[in-house]
Amino acid sequence: MSIGNKLKIAICGKSGLVGSKLDELFASQYNSVIGVKIRDNTSVEDVAAQIDKCDILINLSGTTILARWSDEYKKKLYSSRIDTTRKLVDAMKICNEKPKLFLTSSAVGIYDSTHSHDDSSENFANDFLSKLCRDWEAEAKKAEESGIRTVAMRFGVIYSKDGGAMSKILPPFKMGVGGKLGRGDQIVSWIHIEDLLRAILFIIKTPAIAGSVNFTTPYPISNIEQTYILGKVLKRPTFFGVPAFMIKLVFGEGARVILDSKEVYPTKLLENGFTFNYEKFENAIKEIVE
């Protein structure tokens, strides 16, 4: 799927997994792609100069979630998302030519663990990650005041052969020491990187889509089911589970990302006609490990 007309696209967070893949994809279609650099001392005016006259602004900034959350690290998680997004929104307001579309990342961590969720769900969790996502999206939504179509991309777990969660999951399974995480009954809402990129192109070409959008396959899966499929595809044993207390020792409060259930469905994408190439986990894993 291509965008059509050649566009100027600015990406904040271009060096990460999603950003680098988008850079390759957009450049292959002869679009102009620029990376937006924002530091603590970068002024709003400097940001505006970087993004002026771009057609699309994509915000993927943020310190990695998958780490041990000390109080200091939580401050970095927060500021790297909220402060950066605020600068981008303030910069768009003073651009001579504003972007037509603002795509900003968020996460399914906004939701609670007891309900199933479509894009309109307001059953949010009462924890740090959910508050982070809500504040993040609230800052991004202010771009709508400038007449800019704004989409908050609520990413599930992203699977790719080139990094992301799978780079941490696969090695122990390949060595035959993989297994379920914690009790294993937690639901994982996930997406293959190729479908994530295709969904972004689809949104660019579908003006009716705005607001919060779930970037997850229609088939979430339990960690136990994932473990079984990984063992089957890799032809490895899967009885070396990792107890929840060990995960909490390593990640502290950040263990919630691994142990909490998130049952999320991409209703808005499906209702607008998007089709997934990798709906089922087994198909995605076969592509990743081949």
Side-chain angles (χ1 to χ4, degrees):
M1 180 187 289
S2 64
I3 300 171
N5 297 330
K6 304 304 179 240
L7 302 171
K8 181 179 180 182
I9 302 165
I11 303 175
C12 186
K14 190 162 73 78
S15 61
L17 174 63
V18 176
S20 60
K21 292 288 186 184
L22 281 174
D23 187 14
E24 291 173 17
L25 177 60
F26 289 138
S28 73
Q29 298 177 359
Y30 305 103
N31 297 287
S32 172
V33 184
I34 61 168
V36 181
K37 292 180 171 55
I38 300 179
R39 296 182 174 84
D40 290 344
N41 61 352
T42 306
S43 69
V44 170
E45 290 75 19
D46 285 343
V47 178
Q50 293 181 66
I51 66 175
D52 195 30
K53 299 182 180 178
C54 74
D55 297 290
I56 300 167
L57 174 59
I58 302 176
N59 178 23
L60 301 168
S61 62
T63 303
T64 181
I65 286 285
L66 201 58
R68 183 173 182 82
W69 293 1
S70 64
D71 288 344
E72 192 60 34
Y73 196 77
K74 284 162 76 172
K75 289 176 185 174
K76 288 181 182 176
L77 287 171
Y78 196 86
S79 65
S80 65
R81 287 164 173 77
I82 280 68
D83 294 351
T84 300
T85 303
R86 184 178 296 136
K87 277 187 179 178
L88 287 170
V89 171
D90 289 345
M92 283 189 279
K93 290 177 183 176
I94 61 173
C95 283
N96 294 316
E97 292 184 31
K98 297 176 176 59
K100 300 169 186 67
L101 172 62
F102 179 39
L103 289 158
T104 187
S105 49
S106 183
V108 297
I110 196 170
Y111 298 121
D112 69 20
S113 298
T114 54
H115 297 83
S116 62
H117 307 274
D118 64 15
D119 315 75
S120 62
S121 172
E122 294 186 0
N123 291 310
F124 299 136
N126 183 26
D127 58 24
F128 170 78
L129 182 55
S130 179
K131 183 182 187 316
L132 173 65
C133 291
R134 279 178 278 152
D135 289 354
W136 198 4
E137 292 186 16
E139 286 298 331
K141 190 174 175 60
K142 293 174 184 175
E144 294 176 350
E145 298 168 9
S146 300
I148 298 165
R149 178 163 68 109
T150 301
V151 174
M153 304 178 290
R154 291 176 176 169
F155 293 148
V157 180
I158 301 167
Y159 291 138
S160 165
K161 63 174 62 177
D162 299 315
M166 203 47 70
S167 65
K168 295 177 170 61
I169 293 170
L170 277 181
F173 277 90
K174 287 181 175 178
M175 292 186 291
V177 292
K180 66 184 176 71
L181 302 174
R183 296 194 331 183
D185 57 356
Q186 67 270 31
I187 300 297
V188 181
S189 292
W190 61 277
I191 189 168
H192 189 288
I193 186 70
E194 182 182 308
D195 281 332
L196 184 151
L197 301 176
R198 290 177 58 252
I200 288 174
L201 292 184
F202 183 80
I203 287 170
I204 291 171
K205 296 181 70 174
T206 311
I209 297 178
S212 303
V213 178
N214 292 334
F215 273 62
T216 61
T217 172
Y219 297 97
I221 190 171
S222 73
N223 176 252
I224 288 175
E225 291 174 295
Q226 280 192 327
T227 300
Y228 169 76
I229 291 169
L230 276 163
K232 185 174 78 168
V233 171
L234 294 168
K235 298 181 174 60
R236 294 289 190 275
T238 58
F239 48 79
F240 289 96
V242 183
F245 81 88
M246 288 187 65
I247 297 170
K248 290 174 182 176
L249 279 174
V250 174
F251 292 102
E253 190 180 343
R256 301 188 77 120
V257 177
I258 300 166
L259 298 173
D260 280 2
S261 269
K262 303 296 175 188
E263 185 180 350
V264 180
Y265 297 92
T267 309
K268 196 176 286 188
L269 283 173
L270 294 174
E271 287 178 347
N272 281 277
F274 182 75
T275 56
F276 287 79
N277 285 347
Y278 298 97
E279 284 190 332
K280 300 289 184 71
F281 183 68
E282 186 163 351
N283 295 333
I285 288 305
K286 285 178 178 175
E287 188 280 333
I288 288 168
V289 303
E290 70 180 9

